[in-house]
Amino acid sequence: MSRPTKQIHLAAHFPGVNNTTVWSDPAAGSQIEFSSFVHLARAAERAKFDFFFLAEGLRLREQNGRIHDLDVVGRPDTFTVLAAIAAVTDRLGLAGTINSTFNEPYEVARQFASLDHLSAGRAAWNVVTSWDAFTGENFRRGGYLAEQDRYERARRFLHTAWELFDSWHGDEIIADKDTGQFLREPGPGAFAHHDDFFDISGQFNVPRSPQGRPVIFQAGDSDAGREFAASSADAIFSRHSTFEEGQAFYADIKGRLAKFGRRPDQLVVLPAATFVLGDTDAEARERAEVIRHQQVSGATAILFAEQLWNRDLSSYDPDGPVPEVDPLPGENTISKGRASVRMFDDRLATVRQWRELSEAKKLSLREVVIEVTGRQSFIGSAATVAETINRFVQQDASDGFILVPHIVPGGLDDFADQVVPLLQERGVFRAEYTGTTLREHLGLELPG
Amino acid sequence: MTPRPPLHLALALDGAGWHPAAWREPRARTAELLDARYWTDLVQEAERGLLDFVTIEDSLGLQSDRFDGPDDRTDRVRGRLDAVLIAARVAPLTTRIGLVPSVIAGHTEPFHISKAIATLDYVSAGRGGLRVRAGSGGAEAALFGRRQIPGITVADLDRPEVVALITELFDEAADYVEVVRRLWDSWEDDAEIRDVATGRFVDRDKLHYIDFEGRWFSVRGPSIVPRPPQGQPLVTVLGHNTVPYRLGARQADVVYVTPRDADDARRIVGEIRTEQDAAGRGDETVHVFADLVVHLADSAAQAADNRARLDERAGAPQGSDAHIVAGTPGELADLLLDWQSAGLAGFRLRPATIPHDLEGITRGLVGELQSRGAFRTAYEAATLRGLLGLARPANRYAAAAAATNSTAAV
């Protein structure tokens, strides 16, 4: 017997501070002017996407002790842009990454509750952690947190924020002009929270927002991160965008829910995904190759290699062979402020793989980097991409995707205009919004 | 005779208005105080009145009639939204008016606020600013739980240890603004180069570490946000005595003050100018605005009646740090022009009720002032600094780099 057809969830990620965002193309627009954000958000809303997603930066990335200048540098403040986008959209969810390490629960809770009010119930919070002293140099606390404590702090932070959101129930304000009674009772929003990380008390000053709590996203992939997501998140922003990895991750994360007393449909799995469209599959493949070369310049290839080798490789030719020197052991000191540093668990083994790939396919260093770093997730005609995305969702490799265009601001336009109508024709993606809040778009219940 | 300098008008927005019984007025949109539509309507009305900017009140804690923490009242508006986010939400729906939310310097992070206001300046295309409030102790500190700071009560305000504590909190606010301002300058205007030939997106020599080291925080920089459209968004501060005047003189573009009359205004302006000289900013423009609570009506008697009715509903005459005016738009115009001659650049008007007194400002007072040639009849600039006659400042780091280069050339 066949099970019911799943509805796909789609989101638009504003292309950010990494080499996959192509700034050198003549069509590439501003990464900071508000008009770019409006363009992408309106394209997403025109296509009835679930939400718009904005990442966060708290320190400019550095390589070899200098600010990394090859990728996009600079971006706006998450909350401020999301609040402004609320003014130019009507239904689109507004999701933002906010760090739990260099913030305090009271302030973040009032910002998200405010955003939820100002967007009439469209706010979502991607809770991330960091621990590095490098980022801490911009904040009051400095580099105070041990790496192994970051998820515990994040979990406590989130649960503290929930106490604040829940400190107002929604029936406190009666505002009777005749009798002059504004509050039903004195002392609304009272809270007192004490644990190893937070010792706070008082009255929260934002009354309950339309969604009660913003939708919670989690993005970490470690075991601790997955447990955190399974226990506490409404959605997980994963990086497993291939079919097999996606299915494995999906089964793993959904399987963790029961022990927290949660059902599988209470956590939406949304991998990040990239795409390249063409009139034909062959044309899309050609375009994908051009884009990959834009994304990985010779200088960028050297920087990637330096992250892996953990040493200065600036004297090497990116169009020459893979460097013959061995990587340096120990803590990565060459690259700071980027998540990918931690990807290379076993440097020697990875370098060996790169060399083997280079010899087998006769590839230069740059071509190896193009090969091993993030080929686009979906490449093909609109029909091919629509069919592939639907297969992934129906076969539980995901519940949908957070799409990351490679270019600002028009990178989503073709997807919105060509792929989405095909998904709508298949009846697997909404033709119109049926709800007003992000929780309704994602099929999530209001918190009690 | 020298021409009269331009008069600037700001509108202070807070809840249903500044009178504690404002929310009970028939036209008060009391059920909408947390809705975007409400705030948008108010700021659009202010923009139709050609006002220079709006300020949006904020506090970390719940509103209270007590100085030192929450109260037990049930008859006043309680609950509010983050002011920076209200300003951002309104920005795309307005085009010329400045947007100046309150931010609280104690407890929060200067790095976050700097990028938030820089971003407000981007989403408003050069109309952003902030009003900085010093942190306070007691109940506010407990919301963050990071520091033990004693609570302060009004009765203690003159005690030496309390004066010392307040001075410290304002010194922290001064450091805070210093960090915020340095971060705004940490990118030179032309730092983004997109040089395809070399593959460089930015010229990193035009990004600067700010390396601020202070007693309360150290911040390395640079900002993650490129230099905002105005270069330096507007910094404003409200003060009632020397300590906050000093903060304003050291760091602000606009200082709001609360004189009782024109002579008092003249004295306060003089004190701020003295502090400005002491801070080494004697040659910079620091506008002084007087705050006024306004009740407006077609007749003086009606305005007085309105005020009396509101006071009666509130159960007591309104307490206010700022002078309260009840009268016709014409009478208020007389007062503003009289006080202006004491050295004030403008006024921040606090409507006693919204929308009645707000419209009294935008539709009554503004017309009165225009008919006397004392207020603009169209917006004359695209940025908030431009409206206030403030130049776009040179970047402190670019200027320093240029100075180094010219020295090297010699």
Side-chain angles (χ1 to χ4, degrees), chain A residues 389-429:
Chain A
I389 285 177
N390 190 41
R391 180 169 60 89
F392 273 58
V393 173
Q394 301 309 333
Q395 297 185 26
D396 284 348
S398 80
D399 292 316
F401 292 94
I402 297 177
L403 296 171
V404 193
H406 75 279
I407 199 163
V408 169
L412 190 69
D413 294 351
D414 287 348
F415 190 98
D417 297 334
Q418 297 171 22
V419 180
V420 168
L422 298 177
L423 297 172
Q424 290 167 331
E425 278 173 26
R426 287 168 179 262
V428 293
F429 189 69

Side-chain angles (χ1 to χ4, degrees), chain A residues 126-137:
Chain A
N126 180 37
V127 185
V128 303
T129 69
S130 60
W131 53 277
D132 56 304
F134 176 74
T135 304
E137 285 179 352

Side-chain angles (χ1 to χ4, degrees), chain A residues 265-296:
Chain A
D265 63 343
Q266 290 178 305
L267 182 70
V268 182
V269 179
L270 301 173
T274 54
F275 59 90
V276 182
L277 298 173
D279 287 342
T280 63
D281 289 354
E283 187 192 310
R285 280 195 295 274
E286 280 172 31
R287 292 187 60 195
E289 208 52 37
V290 171
I291 292 167
R292 287 298 293 147
H293 281 78
Q294 289 178 316
Q295 291 170 328
V296 184

Side-chain angles (χ1 to χ4, degrees), chain B residues 255-331:
Chain B
V255 183
Y256 316 116
V257 300
T258 54
R260 295 180 306 276
D261 53 36
D263 286 342
D264 199 26
R266 193 170 289 112
R267 179 190 64 75
I268 294 170
V269 171
E271 187 175 353
I272 291 172
R273 298 294 172 234
T274 302
E275 291 291 344
Q276 209 181 318
D277 288 337
R281 292 183 73 210
D283 57 346
E284 294 180 38
T285 301
V286 176
H287 287 316
V288 182
F289 280 30
D291 271 22
L292 292 169
V293 177
V294 297
H295 294 265
L296 291 170
D298 292 339
S299 71
Q302 183 62 52
D305 280 354
N306 288 349
R307 181 181 175 185
R309 176 171 45 78
L310 284 156
D311 283 349
E312 189 188 331
R313 291 197 115 183
Q318 180 183 4
S320 172
D321 54 335
H323 184 64
I324 301 174
V325 182
T328 66
E331 289 169 333

Side-chain angles (χ1 to χ4, degrees), chain B residues 224-242:
Chain B
I224 62 158
V225 185
R227 194 167 192 239
Q230 295 184 99
Q232 292 277 316
L234 194 74
V235 173
T236 73
V237 63
L238 168 66
H240 304 97
N241 58 45
T242 304

Side-chain angles (χ1 to χ4, degrees), chain A residues 62 69 106 110 177 182 203, chain B residues 28 58 60 70 74 108 201 209:
Chain A
E62 292 184 2
D69 58 358
Y106 187 87
R110 73 184 297 266
K177 290 184 180 183
F182 187 86
Q203 285 173 258
Chain B
D58 206 355
L60 292 173
T74 57
T108 63
F201 183 81
Y209 297 102

